[in-house]
């Protein structure tokens, strides 16, 4: 048997890691200082004129009056909501707005998403783009608008139909619809695998001295980067792309990859570059999910790899995330127990759905999916108090160093899951 050398660590000495954390915090504070100056200027003026793109538009009613809620993105990069009583269809429109910010918009809201009063000065149709063309091509393959919304959401990160979003939440598979590391991981495997099939024969014949991980990886990273840009940088996808990119670099350097220092490094770097991620719920849930994957892998790495991939990760993440998710989202249905199975089935479904849409057969699964989405008919509300999830989070972090604490965390999450689904 050959001797297996231990891979070098990202931070060989603790003090190196501490210095990295300190410098990152310092840089983050500088970024936040300049953003806070921009915020004060924004809320200090009585009004602004800006051009915005309509991300989503839907009707709401209050006291028998109907109005339209608009989710907008300005040319300055701000995302916010406003309302209007005008009756036009605002989807796929550019608007020129007069907005009236005030001190009710907090700095946290400014970094994330806020509500502001406005007046629409004029509107125009968004010129036809490659993305719009692809969205239309996907939509035309479905007679049901909800199915068109579903596929455009999982392919291009477009807003999901409101009614369908509620049905999917009852199934506990919202993470499968919102583009995240799960999707990017599938796409990485697909792109890297296909490129490697083309690369291997050429490598063996013309350049056997080349490193496939570097050559194929750099092309795959460029293609995935273009995809993230194309779908307008969803926060969870930014985190995922950064992890894939840094992970790829770490693998090339032959260093330890699956470590919590790696996760902290990615977190700090992303927050320095994109401070708005600090207030993104999708980003934090995505990051916590990766944390629990790392925790599971740490204590099951000796197990069969197929068992880990097909059972340990899907079921483990579902159970361990229950207390976290139910601190924010209270909606609970017994059908949410299907989530691990549906997560496993989504792995082959996603590339197959892409292929079917490329062939013009995108509606193949529509009947089955609509039956699946209409299964849950009722739900209960169950929210955990903040103090309980803080204790759970503290134990989860402690479990990095102590196996027994890891078992306690698994027991707490499992017990809560049993209690939760007994309610339904």
């Amino acid at each position: 048997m050959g001797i297996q050398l231990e891979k070098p660590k990202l931070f060989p000495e603790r003090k190196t890691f501490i210095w990295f954390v300190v410098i990152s915090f310092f840089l983050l504070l500088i970024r936040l200082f300049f953003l806070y100056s921009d915020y004060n200027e924004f809320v200090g003026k009585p009004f602004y004129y800006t051009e915005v793109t309509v991300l989503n538009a839907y009707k709401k009613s209050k006291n028998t009056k109907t109005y339209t809620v608009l989710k907008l993105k300005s040319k300055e990069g701000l995302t916010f909501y406003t309302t209007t009583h005008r009756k036009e269809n605002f989807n796929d429109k550019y608007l020129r707005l007069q907005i009236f910010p005030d001190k009710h918009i907090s700095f946290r809201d400014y970094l994330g998403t806020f509500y502001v009063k406005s007046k629409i000065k004029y509107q125009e149709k968004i010129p036809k783009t490659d993305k719009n063309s692809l969205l239309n091509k996907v939509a035309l393959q479905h007679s049901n608008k909800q199915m068109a919304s579903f596929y455009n959401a999982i392919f291009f990160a477009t807003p999901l139909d409101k009614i369908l979003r509620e049905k999917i939440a009852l199934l506990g598979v919202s993470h499968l619809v919102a583009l995240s590391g799960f999707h990017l991981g599938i796409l990485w495997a697909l792109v890297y695998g296909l490129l490697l099939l083309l690369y291997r024969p050429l490598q063996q014949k013309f350049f056997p001295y080349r490193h496939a991980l570097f050559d194929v990886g750099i092309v795959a990273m460029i293609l995935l980067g273009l995809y993230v840009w194309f779908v307008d940088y969803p926060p969870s996808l930014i985190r995922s792309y950064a992890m894939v990119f840094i992970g790829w670099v770490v693998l090339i350097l032959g260093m330890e990859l699956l470590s919590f220092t790696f996760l902290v490094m990615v977190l700090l770097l992303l927050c320095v570059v994109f401070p708005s991620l600090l207030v993104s719920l999708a980003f934090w849930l995505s990051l916590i999910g990766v944390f629990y994957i790392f925790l599971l892998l740490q204590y099951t790495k000796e197990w069969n790899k197929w068992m880990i991939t097909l059972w340990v990760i899907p079921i483990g993440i579902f159970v361990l995330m229950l207390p976290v998710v139910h601190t924010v989202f209270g909606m609970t249905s017994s059908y949410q127990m299907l989530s691990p199975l549906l997560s496993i089935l989504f792995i082959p479904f996603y590339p197959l759905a892409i292929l079917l849409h490329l062939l013009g057969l995108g509606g193949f699964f529509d009947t089955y999916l609509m039956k699946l989405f209409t299964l849950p008919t009722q739900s209960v509300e169950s929210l955990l108090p903040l103090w309980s999830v803080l204790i759970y989070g503290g134990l989860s972090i402690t479990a990095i160093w102590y196996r027994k604490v890891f078992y306690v965390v698994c027991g707490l999450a499992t017990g809560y899951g049993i209690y939760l689904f007994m309610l339904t």
Side-chain angles (χ1 to χ4, degrees):
M1 290 179 65
I3 299 174
Q4 187 173 1
L5 298 176
E6 186 178 348
K7 291 184 177 181
K9 295 182 178 180
L10 277 172
F11 300 95
E13 298 179 357
R14 182 178 295 181
K15 66 179 182 181
T16 310
F17 177 67
I18 292 172
W19 272 113
F20 171 78
V21 172
V22 170
I23 293 170
S24 297
F25 269 115
F26 180 69
L27 292 173
L28 179 58
L29 288 174
I30 293 173
R31 291 278 283 133
L32 289 174
F33 172 78
F34 285 108
L35 284 170
Y36 191 71
S37 299
D38 294 340
Y39 158 74
N40 280 327
E41 183 181 350
F42 178 72
V43 297
K45 291 186 178 180
F47 63 87
Y48 279 89
Y49 287 99
T50 186
E51 282 76 40
V52 300
T53 304
V54 178
L55 300 179
N56 198 10
Y58 55 92
K59 302 287 186 183
K60 288 194 77 173
S61 297
K62 186 177 181 181
N63 299 328
T64 70
K65 292 184 178 180
T66 301
Y67 58 94
T68 301
V69 178
L70 301 176
K71 185 177 182 181
L72 309 167
K73 187 167 186 178
S74 74
K75 65 178 183 180
E76 296 85 7
L78 298 175
T79 302
F80 56 90
Y81 288 93
T82 193
T83 54
T84 179
H85 291 281
R86 291 170 62 163
K87 305 297 184 183
E88 299 99 317
N89 179 10
F90 292 100
N91 287 307
D92 301 320
K93 295 286 180 67
Y94 279 134
L95 305 178
R96 179 167 174 80
L97 290 184
Q98 183 182 16
I99 60 175
F100 304 92
D102 55 42
K103 292 290 184 179
H104 288 98
I105 301 170
S106 67
F107 181 52
R108 182 189 181 282
D109 295 333
Y110 177 77
L111 289 177
T113 305
F114 55 90
Y115 173 83
V116 65
K117 294 180 180 179
S118 68
K119 288 182 180 178
I120 298 173
K121 293 302 180 179
Y122 71 80
Q123 59 176 298
E124 61 182 55
K125 188 79 174 174
I126 295 177
K128 197 165 186 179
T129 62
D130 291 337
K131 183 174 181 179
N132 288 336
S133 298
L134 287 174
L135 291 172
N136 288 331
K137 285 180 181 178
V138 169
L140 288 172
Q141 295 182 43
H142 305 276
S143 56
N144 186 297
K145 288 184 179 179
Q146 290 187 349
M147 283 295 94
S149 172
F150 168 75
Y151 280 108
N152 277 327
I154 65 172
F155 293 156
F156 306 113
T158 56
L160 192 63
D161 177 86
K162 187 173 182 292
I163 297 173
L164 183 59
R165 184 172 68 245
E166 292 171 354
K167 292 177 182 177
I168 287 173
L170 283 173
L171 277 173
V173 291
S174 297
H175 63 287
L176 299 182
V177 182
L179 281 181
S180 66
F182 191 52
H183 303 78
L184 206 66
I186 296 172
L187 291 174
W188 165 266
L190 187 65
V191 172
Y192 186 87
L194 291 175
L195 289 174
L196 193 61
L197 283 176
L198 299 173
Y199 178 87
R200 281 296 188 201
L202 297 174
Q203 182 194 33
Q204 291 169 2
K205 188 172 182 179
F206 299 109
F207 35 84
Y209 52 87
R210 297 290 305 180
H211 190 12
L213 180 62
F214 178 82
D215 293 344
V216 178
I218 197 167
V219 177
M221 288 310 310
I222 291 171
L223 292 176
L224 289 180
L226 289 171
Y227 174 70
V228 174
W229 165 77
F230 188 73
V231 298
D232 296 325
Y233 311 104
S236 56
L237 211 56
I238 292 174
R239 190 273 308 159
S240 307
Y241 182 76
M243 288 198 71
V244 172
F245 180 79
I246 297 172
W248 169 67
V249 172
V250 168
L251 282 175
I252 289 174
L253 296 175
M255 304 179 78
E256 182 184 26
L257 178 60
L258 296 176
S259 69
F260 294 98
T261 52
F262 170 73
L263 192 60
V264 172
M265 180 182 74
V266 172
L267 166 63
L268 291 175
L269 288 176
L270 279 174
C271 289
V272 169
V273 178
F274 306 103
S276 60
L277 293 179
L278 287 169
V279 298
S280 169
L281 180 61
F283 171 73
W284 285 107
L285 289 176
S286 179
L287 193 79
I288 293 168
V290 175
F291 168 81
Y292 282 119
I293 290 175
F294 279 27
L295 198 60
L296 285 165
L297 290 175
Q298 176 169 295
Y299 292 110
T300 62
K301 57 188 174 185
E302 305 300 329
W303 296 17
N304 179 277
K305 290 183 178 180
W306 284 107
M307 182 182 292
I308 293 172
T309 303
L310 296 178
W311 297 107
V312 174
I313 298 299
I315 296 175
I317 293 302
F318 172 71
V319 173
L320 291 172
M321 286 292 290
L322 280 174
V324 178
V325 171
H326 282 272
T327 307
V328 184
F329 304 108
M331 188 183 294
T332 308
S333 162
S334 57
Y335 283 97
Q336 289 174 350
M337 287 187 285
L338 291 173
S339 177
L341 175 61
L342 294 175
S343 296
I344 294 168
L345 294 175
F346 191 81
I347 296 172
F349 167 79
Y350 193 54
L352 180 58
I354 294 172
L355 177 62
L356 288 172
H357 281 84
L358 290 174
L359 296 174
L361 303 171
F364 182 80
F365 291 112
D366 283 9
T367 303
Y368 308 105
L369 288 173
M370 284 306 300
K371 287 180 180 178
L372 174 66
F373 294 150
T374 53
L375 280 177
T377 55
Q378 59 184 9
S379 64
V380 297
E381 285 288 319
S382 179
L383 278 171
L384 275 175
L386 181 60
W387 62 264
S388 62
V389 83
L390 290 176
I391 294 173
Y392 179 75
L395 289 170
S396 298
I397 293 172
T398 308
I400 295 172
W401 298 280
Y402 301 101
R403 183 183 288 268
K404 288 182 180 178
V405 179
F406 170 69
Y407 293 148
V408 171
V409 170
C410 291
L412 288 172
T414 303
Y416 176 67
I418 293 170
Y419 160 77
L420 191 65
F421 292 111
M422 282 179 63
L423 292 176
T424 61

